[in-house]
Amino acid sequence: MRIVILERNSVGTDVSVDSISKYGETTVYRNTTAEDVAERVKDAEIIIANKAPLNEATLKNAQKVKLICEFATGYDNVDLAYCKSRGIKVANVVNYSTDAVAQHTFALCLYILEKLHHYDAYVKSGEYASQDRFSNFDIPYTELAGKTWGIIGMGNIGRKVAEIAKAFGCHVIFYSVTGKSSCTEYEQVDFDTLLRESDVLSLHCPLSDITRNLINLDALKKMKKTAILINVARGPVVNDEDLYTALTENYILGAGLDVTGTEPMKDSNPLSKIKDSNRLIITPHMAWASIEARERCVSETCKNIEAFLKGENRNIVNG
């Protein structure tokens, strides 16, 4: 098998991908732009990618390709219908980053909830050392216990977050975008109820036509003024311009984002104007990227390749 890894760096240079080479002659590229895809995959039988576009334009001359493996759960970069018409199987990796994303969800929430930026800066500035009392809590914060934690996207990550939120003492509610959720452990509510009742609202849904701009200004205005929004799903689920308005006009208390409308985030994004880290924290799409999660991503990709070579379907997303 001739294997091409288009975006080796997407799993981090500190994580080895050498295990993939046991399945065939492997060519590794650190990163691949859209313009370079076609040339790099023309002789490949197995393609491993993450964001590089794989469609008719980039694959039409790659007549030997039989399998595309994603170094990810999402497969927005692949034209599934075209691949199916060519008999090319597409496999993703599932549930490898659940623990990491759930952990980061609470890191973002607690950073905003407890004003950790303010209190860390207070100590490091020397103000704490010079005061005459043992404590300082000049910006009040609240507990998660007794609050309502709302979730959009009750898949593996959403359920893990719900489990942790419950351990904190939260009442968990969720909204199913498709209306087809099989989750019965937690209370399912309509969208307006979710917005109205959530003290924390975390997003764990895929990006689709029905979730794009789901959290817009109208939705944000329906939330509590004390609410915190957490987006560790996909950037375009939230309208960045509308979130900027909601934060600057105090429609909600704060937001923790691991994703934004474009990645990397552009200077033109209005959210870049907000410097108050007590209201907004943005991390660079790294919620999924614990060392353990990235190692699992590679090992699960190997299992997908092994299954394919045995004639078995494992995590095939296009039939």
Side-chain angles (χ1 to χ4, degrees), residues 103-125 136-142 144 168 228 253 255 275-281:
Q103 175 177 296
H104 197 71
T105 298
F106 285 87
L108 293 174
C109 174
L110 294 170
Y111 185 88
I112 296 293
L113 183 71
E114 296 200 0
K115 315 300 179 190
L116 296 182
H117 174 79
H118 167 76
Y119 287 113
D120 180 55
Y122 182 84
V123 172
K124 290 177 178 174
S125 71
N136 179 58
F137 40 88
D138 56 335
I139 300 181
Y141 67 93
T142 61
L144 281 177
F168 267 105
I228 296 173
L253 177 68
K275 306 302 182 184
D276 183 0
S277 295
N278 293 310
R279 300 290 308 282
L280 175 67
I281 176 174

Side-chain angles (χ1 to χ4, degrees), residues 3-263:
I3 303 170
V4 173
I5 302 177
L6 290 176
E7 295 155 287
R8 181 261 176 279
N9 284 10
S10 67
V11 293
T13 56
D14 57 329
V15 170
S16 174
V17 298
D18 292 347
S19 55
I20 293 171
S21 63
K22 65 185 175 184
Y23 303 110
E25 178 187 342
T26 304
T27 302
V28 180
Y29 297 99
R30 292 182 301 170
N31 190 41
T32 297
T33 62
E35 294 75 19
D36 293 330
V37 174
E39 176 63 26
R40 292 182 174 182
V41 303
K42 65 180 181 180
D43 296 319
E45 294 170 271
I46 296 176
I47 300 170
I48 300 174
N50 185 297
K51 301 296 183 186
L54 297 168
N55 48 40
E56 183 174 5
T58 57
L59 295 173
K60 62 183 178 182
N61 295 323
Q63 294 302 311
K64 299 176 183 177
V65 63
K66 300 177 178 67
L67 174 69
I68 292 172
C69 289
E70 291 278 8
F71 264 162
T73 300
Y75 40 85
D76 303 13
N77 59 312
V78 182
D79 185 333
L80 296 183
Y82 173 74
C83 289
K84 188 170 183 177
S85 73
R86 286 268 310 274
I88 302 170
K89 294 184 177 181
V90 180
N92 70 339
V93 178
V94 297
N95 207 25
Y96 71 98
S97 62
T98 297
D99 290 338
V101 177
Q103 175 177 296
H104 197 71
T105 298
F106 285 87
L108 293 174
C109 174
L110 294 170
Y111 185 88
I112 296 293
L113 183 71
E114 296 200 0
K115 315 300 179 190
L116 296 182
H117 174 79
H118 167 76
Y119 287 113
D120 180 55
Y122 182 84
V123 172
K124 290 177 178 174
S125 71
E127 288 186 76
Y128 180 49
S130 63
Q131 71 178 39
D132 57 1
R133 60 195 187 282
F134 78 95
S135 183
N136 179 58
F137 40 88
D138 56 335
I139 300 181
Y141 67 93
T142 61
E143 299 175 355
L144 281 177
K147 302 298 189 297
T148 297
W149 189 294
I151 293 173
I152 300 178
M154 194 59 91
N156 291 327
I157 296 172
R159 288 174 190 246
K160 184 72 175 184
V161 168
E163 179 185 331
I164 298 170
K166 187 176 180 180
F168 267 105
C170 295
H171 170 58
V172 176
I173 60 176
F174 77 98
Y175 167 67
S176 172
V177 175
T178 63
K180 299 177 181 178
S181 176
S182 61
C183 180
T184 57
E185 301 98 309
Y186 304 99
E187 181 185 358
Q188 184 172 341
V189 298
D190 61 49
F191 189 46
D192 281 354
T193 300
L194 182 90
L195 296 172
R196 184 177 63 251
E197 295 188 1
S198 295
D199 295 292
V200 179
L201 175 57
S202 61
L203 311 180
H204 311 285
C205 53
L207 178 63
S208 68
D209 290 340
I210 55 176
T211 61
R212 188 180 298 274
N213 287 318
L214 181 66
I215 305 301
N216 55 24
L217 190 58
D218 181 59
L220 290 160
K221 284 182 176 180
K222 294 176 181 178
M223 294 177 67
K224 295 180 179 181
K225 290 187 178 297
T226 55
I228 296 173
L229 175 70
I230 306 294
N231 188 9
V232 291
R234 291 292 182 266
V237 174
V238 177
N239 184 295
D240 288 345
E241 290 76 13
D242 289 354
L243 179 57
Y244 172 81
T245 300
L247 289 170
T248 55
E249 297 189 13
N250 297 315
Y251 292 130
I252 63 173
L253 177 68
L257 311 176
D258 187 54
V259 289
T260 54
T262 57
E263 295 174 345

Side-chain angles (χ1 to χ4, degrees), residues 288-302:
W288 66 277
S290 67
I291 293 173
E292 295 90 343
R294 289 182 285 119
E295 288 175 341
R296 282 193 294 268
C297 184
V298 175
S299 65
E300 287 294 303
T301 298
C302 288

